[in-house]
Amino acid sequence: MKTYRTLLFDVDDTLLDFGAAEKAALRLLFERQNMPLTDEIEAHYKKVNLGLWKSFEEGTLSRDEVVNTRFSKLFKEYGQEVDGVLFEKNYRAYLEEGHQLIEGALELITDLQHKYDLYVVTNGVSKTQYKRLLASGLHPIFKNIFVSEDTGYQKPMKEFFDYVIARILDFEAEHALIIGDSLTADIKGGQLAGLDTCWFNPAGQTNDTGIVPTYEIRKLNELYGILSRAREC
């Protein structure tokens, strides 16, 4: 097992509870439209949204195409024509207020800062991610924060990680570990960049992707075990 010095953390559903923030933002957005957010509609939104972000990860859609069309596509299926750009603006304002932490995240990052170089690597909209990280108390703990919108690339693209690595002083891939919840973005991206990977899988999802992480954890505090064993080797 290797000794790690640089830890790269994903944000959504790794450190911050994106599901909780998303649910609150959607509820407020639909209230504004005088339309109840039912479980069925919420599930359908997530399906539409996931499909669009998958296309983004694959490089077939731009970020703007994803965020500015998802609500118009959704509401069209329910017989309503809405301004996708305006809805995105309103949704974004609500989402930026969501900074609920994953259990143990602040404690973990606060502790690890004394032993490791910590960085954020996240897909998303820069303004939103920075505001949420600031509100959560996580922002000042990291040495730097890398958001896909700023880099011009997104996870899992190797170019995203090339951008990050070029901006970390004395970076050594063999001593770096990426921690994230997405097999297709974080784990695959880390592998393309030649990094060890840690899949945060709190729900115990089955991995049938063929993407095999170096490690898998169910709780964030399990990362201590991986890091301590590495230091002993």
Side-chain angles (χ1 to χ4, degrees):
M1 189 177 289
K2 302 176 183 178
T3 299
Y4 299 110
R5 292 195 287 268
T6 303
L7 304 181
L8 309 175
F9 282 89
D10 174 50
V11 172
D12 289 319
D13 291 326
T14 300
L15 298 177
L16 295 183
D17 189 341
F18 181 79
E22 178 187 54
K23 189 176 187 70
L26 287 172
R27 178 177 52 78
L28 291 169
L29 185 70
F30 275 71
E31 283 179 2
R32 188 166 181 164
Q33 189 68 10
N34 295 317
M35 184 175 176
L37 179 64
T38 65
D39 291 343
E40 185 270 332
I41 293 176
E42 183 180 1
H44 191 55
Y45 164 77
K46 289 182 178 181
K47 181 179 178 181
V48 170
N49 190 48
L50 183 64
L52 291 170
W53 280 112
K54 184 176 180 182
S55 296
F56 172 71
E57 288 180 4
E58 294 169 349
T60 58
L61 283 181
S62 70
R63 182 195 63 82
D64 285 347
E65 288 174 317
V66 172
V67 299
N68 290 330
T69 65
R70 54 185 172 182
F71 290 110
S72 57
K73 289 179 181 294
L74 175 71
F75 277 90
K76 189 172 184 179
E77 296 188 27
Y78 293 96
Q80 293 192 41
E81 295 288 337
V82 302
D83 184 334
V85 176
L86 177 61
F87 262 65
E88 175 60 26
K89 180 181 178 181
N90 293 334
Y91 170 72
R92 184 69 44 192
Y94 298 138
L95 186 65
E96 287 174 358
E97 301 304 318
H99 55 270
Q100 300 91 329
L101 285 153
I102 295 291
E103 182 181 357
L106 184 58
E107 296 81 359
L108 175 74
I109 299 302
T110 300
D111 185 36
L112 292 179
Q113 69 175 318
H114 304 296
K115 306 180 186 75
Y116 302 91
D117 295 329
L118 307 182
Y119 296 88
V120 161
V121 286
T122 177
N123 285 344
V125 177
S126 299
K127 180 173 178 286
T128 302
Q129 299 299 66
Y130 276 102
K131 187 170 182 179
R132 295 172 66 226
L133 286 167
L134 278 166
S136 71
L138 289 168
H139 185 284
I141 306 176
F142 288 94
K143 285 182 171 290
N144 207 341
I145 292 169
F146 299 100
V147 186
S148 60
E149 184 180 30
D150 296 329
T151 70
Y153 305 99
Q154 68 274 354
K155 298 179 295 183
M157 295 173 68
K158 186 176 182 297
E159 291 87 347
F160 173 89
F161 290 92
D162 288 342
Y163 179 101
V164 170
I165 290 168
R167 287 159 178 78
I168 297 179
L169 186 65
D170 298 326
F171 183 89
E172 295 178 293
E174 64 269 27
H175 297 298
L177 177 69
I178 181 171
I179 303 97
D181 71 295
S182 173
L183 287 166
T184 56
D186 304 310
I187 307 307
K188 181 179 179 180
Q191 291 175 347
L192 290 174
L195 309 178
D196 280 2
T197 60
C198 180
W199 182 32
F200 178 50
N201 181 24
Q205 298 177 10
T206 301
N207 179 5
D208 55 5
T209 65
I211 302 168
V212 182
T214 313
Y215 314 102
E216 178 180 342
I217 58 176
R218 298 288 178 87
K219 295 182 179 180
L220 287 177
N221 62 12
E222 292 175 20
L223 187 61
Y224 285 117
I226 292 170
L227 296 174
S228 64
R229 288 195 298 273
R231 289 172 71 90
E232 293 167 0
C233 294

